[in-house]
Amino acid sequence: MKIVLGVSGGIAAYKAPELVRRLQDVGAEVRVILTPNAARFVSPLSLAAVSKHGVIIDQWGDSERGGVDHIELARWADLLLIAPATANIIAKLAVGIADDALTTYAIAHRAAVMVAPAMNTFMLQHPTVIENVERLRARGIEIVEPDSGLLACGDEGAGRLPDVPVIVERVKARFAARDLEGKRILVTAGPTREAIDPVRYISNRSSGKMGYAIADAAQRRGARVTLISGPTSLATPAGVELTSITTAKEMLDAVMQAAGSSQIVIKAAAVADFTPSAPADQKIKKQADRDEISIAFRKNTDILSELAKLKPRPFIVAFAAETGSLEANAREKLAQKDADLIVANDVSDAAIGFDSDENEVLIIGRDGSQSKVERASKFAVANRILDAVIQRLHG
Ligand code: CTP
């Protein structure tokens, strides 16, 4: 991996030396170009030291050396990664302005481009910024979406440069082998909702992030992915075919319909185990003389067990969300559901539980084999789960 890292002048530029180090850890060679403003946020000397190469800031280069740096570099590079990317550089990339070393290089560059916007939320939401980001995306440039959280300016919202491991994982994915080419994968994600009456339902706290990350990662590795999802607020990953459902029954029907043509089924969804036996067709009203209400529930069909009965059956990955005795419960669930692999996580830990961007899981195979994936972004964990699936499919 030969990467040109372009750093523009946002506060997140301070993460650049760490980004260079972590990219090198995964085997990348990195050359750095700074905009003049970036050089006010991060020391060119530190970047030269970690990258072990001169850092380019001046568009006109070193006149004594001859040669035009940016053309030489463009022959060498496999990827231009711009992180952080300010509103200014995004606008320049969108229209082709080349008025400093980085934007000039961007026009000479021939290989893939990845851009990680980072700025204040209000700036990120400005119509021109939105429009410019979309122009880049339409040109095939990969956008690493900013994270939400507390920003340097004290505001809260989207705009933070994602943590370095998240960016590194995206770069790795870009260079990853397309080892799922030709495979059809069915992924389920999110919660289901079971109606109590026309305005109320029972559901669970699943955000769908793990399943969406798996669908995204599998698609990037060449698979044809169908994602069957309960209600979530997430964007459908590019290239993934989405079927939206609401109830467990709808999920069962959609899964059984799609399963026949899938070689691998990954069931990350948190399916409701029970549904109200007789949902009311009118809104249930309060009654003055009753302080309690009971609702009768009946069991939903276990989708995994139905899948396991198919002949020929797909390779089945189950999930186990547990709040204690993780390994023992997961092993029991694996056997009970007759799955090929189970991915267990402890949802009582807030850092990796529901709605978190990170996860830490135990992957247990039918053959008893077990591996632990330490805490990492859900996208990174998704890739480790897919590694485990591929390893067992071939084994
Ligand atoms: N699952 C399913 N159909 C259901 C319920 C769950 O296919 N009706 C799947 C989930 O998608 C997940 C796995 O079963 O892959 C385990 O879900 P979980 O809720 O942890 O387990 P349950 O079977 O519900 O067991 P329990 O609630 O007793 O922990």
Side-chain angles (χ1 to χ4, degrees):
M1 295 188 275
K2 296 186 182 111
I3 302 174
V4 172
L5 173 65
V7 183
S8 63
I11 178 74
Y14 80 88
K15 293 184 181 172
E18 174 71 8
L19 181 56
V20 172
R21 291 295 284 272
R22 299 287 85 87
L23 287 169
Q24 289 167 334
D25 286 349
V26 297
E29 283 179 70
V30 186
R31 303 278 201 281
V32 183
I33 309 180
L34 295 179
T35 63
N37 279 339
R40 298 155 72 126
F41 287 100
V42 61
S43 143
L45 198 57
S46 329
L47 284 163
V50 290
S51 71
K52 301 188 178 67
H53 285 277
V55 167
I56 305 171
I57 307 172
D58 182 358
Q59 182 174 11
W60 308 110
D62 183 348
S63 54
E64 284 169 23
R65 268 190 50 222
V68 186
D69 284 351
H70 56 273
I71 303 295
E72 270 173 38
L73 208 53
R75 283 203 191 97
W76 172 83
D78 310 312
L79 175 73
L80 168 61
L81 166 64
I82 303 187
T86 57
N88 185 43
I89 196 157
I90 290 169
K92 288 188 199 173
L93 293 172
V95 294
I97 291 176
D99 65 350
D100 60 21
L102 179 53
T103 46
T104 304
Y105 175 75
I107 289 185
H109 180 81
R110 286 287 161 272
V113 182
M114 255 166 104
V115 168
M119 64 196 78
N120 172 279
T121 304
F122 297 129
M123 295 173 77
L124 190 69
Q125 288 164 352
H126 191 283
T128 1
V129 175
I130 294 174
E131 212 176 289
N132 287 333
V133 168
E134 287 320 309
R135 279 168 88 163
L136 300 189
R137 214 193 295 272
R139 214 180 282 158
I141 291 177
E142 182 171 343
I143 305 294
V144 182
E145 298 296 344
D147 270 356
S148 292
L150 189 63
L151 305 173
C153 50
D155 283 338
E156 278 233 39
R160 277 184 46 198
L161 186 71
D163 290 338
V164 167
V166 173
I167 302 175
V168 172
E169 192 64 30
R170 287 287 286 268
V171 171
K172 272 169 66 191
R174 185 92 215 186
F175 289 98
R178 289 177 64 84
D179 49 5
L180 286 169
E181 195 96 63
K183 294 268 186 291
R184 290 192 74 127
I185 303 190
L186 175 60
V187 181
T188 70
T192 65
R193 284 180 186 169
E194 313 297 316
I196 294 170
D197 69 17
V199 297
R200 302 182 180 96
Y201 57 80
I202 178 162
S203 187
N204 59 64
R205 292 177 53 200
S206 167
S207 65
K209 285 179 183 169
M210 194 63 239
Y212 276 61
I214 293 171
D216 189 15
Q219 188 280 133
R220 287 171 195 275
R221 288 167 75 156
R224 278 183 65 186
V225 182
T226 301
L227 175 62
I228 300 179
S229 174
T232 74
S233 57
L234 305 172
T236 310
V240 167
E241 189 188 312
L242 177 77
T243 303
S244 296
I245 55 88
T246 304
T247 66
K249 174 72 173 71
E250 286 167 9
M251 182 166 279
L252 170 71
D253 293 344
V255 167
M256 296 319 283
Q257 200 183 355
S261 56
S262 309
Q263 286 95 40
I264 302 164
V265 180
I266 304 181
K267 287 234 60 219
V271 186
D273 290 327
F274 295 92
T275 194
S277 318
D281 47 14
Q282 300 288 319
K283 185 180 171 197
I284 300 169
K285 294 301 227 180
K286 278 198 294 286
Q287 287 173 16
D289 57 341
R290 283 182 66 184
D291 287 343
E292 273 182 22
I293 177 171
S294 351
I295 301 168
F297 288 93
R298 66 176 157 72
K299 236 189 201 159
N300 279 325
T301 306
D302 192 293
I303 306 174
L304 268 174
S305 308
E306 293 303 302
L307 279 171
K309 291 181 205 156
L310 289 177
K311 286 191 176 83
R313 60 173 254 171
F315 185 92
I316 303 172
V317 181
F319 271 70
E322 304 293 344
T323 53
S325 310
L326 190 62
E327 189 188 331
N329 280 335
R331 285 190 181 276
E332 196 186 319
K333 214 167 264 185
L334 175 71
Q336 190 193 353
K337 305 230 177 198
D338 194 20
D340 296 289
L341 200 72
I342 194 156
V343 179
N345 71 328
D346 181 351
V347 288
S348 62
D349 181 345
I352 55 167
F354 293 115
D355 207 30
S356 148
D357 289 321
E358 295 192 320
N359 209 349
E360 178 184 301
V361 301
L362 203 58
I363 303 178
I364 305 175
R366 215 187 163 81
D367 53 1
S369 61
Q370 175 174 325
S371 58
K372 180 158 186 211
V373 182
E374 297 296 343
R375 189 167 152 186
S377 70
K378 284 188 171 167
F379 186 69
V381 172
N383 274 309
R384 301 297 81 78
I385 294 169
L386 293 172
D387 292 343
V389 170
I390 290 170
Q391 196 192 343
R392 281 165 181 94
L393 268 180
H394 294 163

